[in-house]
Amino acid sequence: MTAEQDGAPKQQTAKALTGLRDLVLKGEVLPGERLSEVALAARLKVSRTPLRAALQKLEQEGLVVMIPSGGYAVRSFSRQDVIDAIELRGVLEGTAARLAAERGVPPAKLKAISDVVANLDGVVEPGPGAMDFGRYEMLNERFHRQLAALCGSDVLSREIERITSLPFASPNAFVNTEADVPAFQRTLVVAQTQHRAIIAAIELREGARAEALAREHARLARQNLDFVMEEQPDLRSKVLALALMSG
Amino acid sequence: MTAEQDGAPKQQTAKALTGLRDLVLKGEVLPGERLSEVALAARLKVSRTPLRAALQKLEQEGLVVMIPSGGYAVRSFSRQDVIDAIELRGVLEGTAARLAAERGVPPAKLKAISDVVANLDGVVEPGPGAMDFGRYEMLNERFHRQLAALCGSDVLSREIERITSLPFASPNAFVNTEADVPAFQRTLVVAQTQHRAIIAAIELREGARAEALAREHARLARQNLDFVMEEQPDLRSKVLALALMSG
DNA sequence: TCTTGACATAATGTATACATTATGCACTTC
DNA sequence: GAAGTGCATAATGTATACATTATGTCAAGA
């Protein structure tokens, strides 16, 4: 038996990818430190070959960087990097919204995303019991995914997917935190208002407004970032997405 | 001798990368066709391992796509894909210009890019003899590269570099063609005017204007694309960057 | 004749052996 | 005592062997 014993032969690289991503995001490998291939391969129970494939993919995602002398290291992000990534998500989602408005959207797609917005209303509306943040997270991701695909451009949706793969640039990056901070819960109401407005602008073919709204929507993430960093630093450990940020 | 005989040991993947890119761009491997690893490895005189690394990098650049059943194929781009890639370059360069204006630029960087613009003046100005398109190409690439780095955001410049790696989204994609078409030469004058205006807007901290100008600047590429496709289809073969475009 | 099945072939995915290069440590020398 | 050199060790980059899976062909049956 030269090949693998347990998993399917083609999924070793997937196993390495998810395992490695977990190690990075959970902070079990520190930024800047050189990632030993043999050690990681042993730890993840895969061979070096699929591990190297996973490292390359993670470099493409931006989580690790190549060391000039060879090998890889966990990338460390400055606060400015986080700000820029959020800004960039706003710009790209803004472009998706503008192009959708300018070029028009097939009714089926418009109905699908409108349904998501309607479902989000049910989550955000103050009702009996606590707000279901898990459900919000799921619907919010679905909204942003559908928005990225709304204008039908593969080139654009690929790019949005790329920048969104950075955990702190994800639309849900700060949602987990909000559960613990009552003041944050109200930002979800604002966010949902923006969701509605973006779709309305697209339906009305108001491209500039749709773009501006989507940009401002991403800006909420930056607001949350600033709040965590400057007013409640103790919250920072609760935001898993910020584990990669130094400083 | 198990290792390589000729090249340096760490540069086999670079050799595979450039060689494979050439094969794709020169159209020696047709879009949609499955890329045989063994055949390519033999053709490029490298082993399968660095070849696979190169394939992964090219997938990240967007030139090839994974086949669900395994392996890779040359990606085929529709005309809409080309349009979207150009639009996206405009959006990203616009963001670079806006952020540079909003955040300010260190004088050294500003002087460097201003010098490039000044040198471009010398190329575009109608003087004795034919226009030096090679020099324009070099300076134009330098201008766009410096613009991408002007605001100092690694996240943004990485993204611009990515989209620009698609040959038809490169700032120089249509410059080669212009040499053959006198009417096109005047577009270089317009382009240079826009170069000047973008830098001026950044110096004046006029972010919105800088962004709009950079977007409009990319739009020149789309104009050239439309001209080639609709008015002079025979020119299409001269634009190497369009070899990947189907339809 | 068309469809379906099995089989042979070839190609990918994985594992591992090998060669080169980088890195850390000890020793020598100034 | 500090700095530079040489060597041993370990890690990366590359090549290749192996196992599984996909694919195309041929034949048999409807």
Side-chain angles (χ1 to χ4, degrees):
Chain A
M1 75 190 172
T2 313
E4 88 301 337
Q5 306 103 303
D6 48 349
K10 183 172 160 183
Q11 305 177 354
Q12 295 301 100
T13 174
K15 184 177 171 185
L17 190 61
T18 61
L20 193 50
R21 214 193 323 251
D22 271 13
L23 287 182
V24 173
L25 295 184
K26 296 221 173 113
E28 304 198 32
V29 284
L30 297 157
E33 102 177 78
R34 190 192 194 121
L35 296 170
S36 168
E37 292 181 359
V38 286
L40 285 176
R43 190 165 179 182
L44 299 174
K45 304 276 186 55
V46 295
S47 177
R48 276 184 60 209
T49 306
L51 180 84
R52 283 173 70 87
L55 281 169
Q56 278 195 257
K57 274 221 158 69
L58 254 61
E59 191 214 5
Q60 149 188 3
E61 288 187 14
L63 287 184
V64 304
V65 289
M66 278 198 58
I67 300 175
S69 61
Y72 294 89
V74 179
R75 180 167 169 196
S76 79
F77 293 91
S78 67
R79 181 165 171 191
Q80 190 60 50
D81 287 333
V82 175
I83 290 174
D84 291 346
I86 292 171
E87 174 85 22
L88 203 48
R89 171 165 71 84
V91 167
L92 293 175
E93 290 186 334
T95 300
R98 174 172 62 85
L99 292 183
E102 291 173 354
R103 298 178 179 176
V105 179
K109 277 189 175 179
L110 210 51
K111 183 181 185 318
I113 198 168
S114 294
D115 288 348
V116 175
V117 173
N119 286 332
L120 274 168
D121 269 338
V123 179
V124 170
E125 261 173 14
M131 196 182 284
D132 187 345
F133 284 92
R135 184 167 163 75
Y136 182 90
E137 204 165 346
M138 185 198 69
L139 290 170
N140 189 42
E141 181 182 337
R142 197 179 295 175
F143 173 84
H144 282 271
R145 188 177 301 277
Q146 293 193 16
L147 175 63
L150 212 55
C151 72
S153 166
D154 288 340
V155 174
L156 180 56
S157 47
R158 266 175 72 109
E159 220 61 25
I160 293 181
E161 192 168 5
R162 256 186 64 78
I163 192 70
T164 301
S165 74
L166 292 174
F168 42 77
S170 154
N172 281 323
F174 293 89
V175 173
N176 287 329
T177 325
E178 317 209 30
D180 297 331
V181 184
F184 270 13
Q185 296 197 16
R186 263 164 301 191
T187 71
L188 293 191
V189 178
V190 176
Q192 171 63 358
T193 302
Q194 292 172 332
H195 290 160
R196 275 215 168 282
I198 290 169
I199 300 306
I202 290 172
E203 281 182 312
L204 293 169
R205 314 292 290 259
E206 299 173 349
R209 179 173 167 234
E211 178 168 19
L213 281 167
R215 283 195 186 182
E216 198 62 25
H217 182 57
R219 210 64 190 210
L220 278 183
R222 177 159 170 191
Q223 261 183 250
N224 289 341
L225 171 69
D226 291 343
F227 181 83
V228 168
M229 293 302 289
E230 283 159 23
E231 305 198 28
Q232 292 225 357
D234 55 305
L235 264 182
R236 187 176 158 183
S237 59
K238 297 235 177 182
V239 189
L240 298 173
L242 293 183
L244 293 173
M245 194 179 73
S246 64
Chain B
M1 70 185 181
T2 312
E4 88 302 336
Q5 305 104 304
D6 47 349
K10 184 172 158 184
Q11 306 177 353
Q12 297 298 101
T13 174
K15 184 176 172 185
L17 191 60
T18 60
L20 194 49
R21 216 195 319 256
D22 271 13
L23 287 183
V24 173
L25 295 184
K26 298 219 172 117
E28 303 198 31
V29 285
L30 297 158
E33 103 177 77
R34 190 193 194 121
L35 296 169
S36 166
E37 292 181 359
V38 285
L40 285 176
R43 191 165 178 181
L44 298 175
K45 304 276 186 54
V46 295
S47 178
R48 276 183 59 207
T49 306
L51 180 84
R52 284 172 69 87
L55 280 169
Q56 278 194 257
K57 274 222 158 70
L58 254 61
E59 191 215 4
Q60 148 188 6
E61 288 187 15
L63 286 184
V64 303
V65 290
M66 278 198 58
I67 300 175
S69 61
Y72 295 88
V74 179
R75 180 168 169 195
S76 80
F77 293 91
S78 66
R79 182 167 169 190
Q80 190 60 49
D81 287 333
V82 175
I83 290 175
D84 290 347
I86 292 171
E87 175 85 22
L88 203 49
R89 171 166 70 86
V91 167
L92 292 175
E93 290 186 335
T95 300
R98 174 172 62 86
L99 292 182
E102 291 173 354
R103 299 177 179 176
V105 179
K109 277 189 175 179
L110 210 52
K111 184 182 183 317
I113 199 168
S114 295
D115 288 348
V116 175
V117 172
N119 286 332
L120 274 168
D121 269 338
V123 180
V124 170
E125 264 173 12
M131 198 182 286
D132 187 345
F133 285 92
R135 184 168 163 77
Y136 182 89
E137 205 165 345
M138 185 197 68
L139 290 170
N140 190 42
E141 181 182 338
R142 196 179 297 175
F143 173 85
H144 284 271
R145 187 177 301 277
Q146 293 193 16
L147 175 62
L150 212 54
C151 71
S153 166
D154 288 339
V155 174
L156 180 56
S157 47
R158 265 175 73 109
E159 221 60 24
I160 292 181
E161 192 168 3
R162 256 186 62 79
I163 193 71
T164 301
S165 75
L166 291 175
F168 42 78
S170 154
N172 282 324
F174 293 89
V175 172
N176 286 329
T177 325
E178 318 209 31
D180 297 332
V181 183
F184 270 12
Q185 297 197 15
R186 264 164 300 190
T187 70
L188 293 191
V189 178
V190 176
Q192 171 63 359
T193 302
Q194 292 172 331
H195 290 161
R196 275 214 167 282
I198 290 169
I199 300 305
I202 291 172
E203 281 182 313
L204 292 169
R205 313 294 290 259
E206 299 173 349
R209 179 173 167 234
E211 178 168 19
L213 281 167
R215 284 194 186 183
E216 198 62 26
H217 183 55
R219 210 65 190 208
L220 278 183
R222 177 158 170 191
Q223 260 183 251
N224 289 341
L225 171 69
D226 291 343
F227 182 83
V228 168
M229 294 301 291
E230 284 159 23
E231 306 199 27
Q232 292 225 357
D234 55 305
L235 264 183
R236 187 176 158 184
S237 59
K238 297 233 176 183
V239 189
L240 298 173
L242 293 184
L244 292 173
M245 194 180 73
S246 63

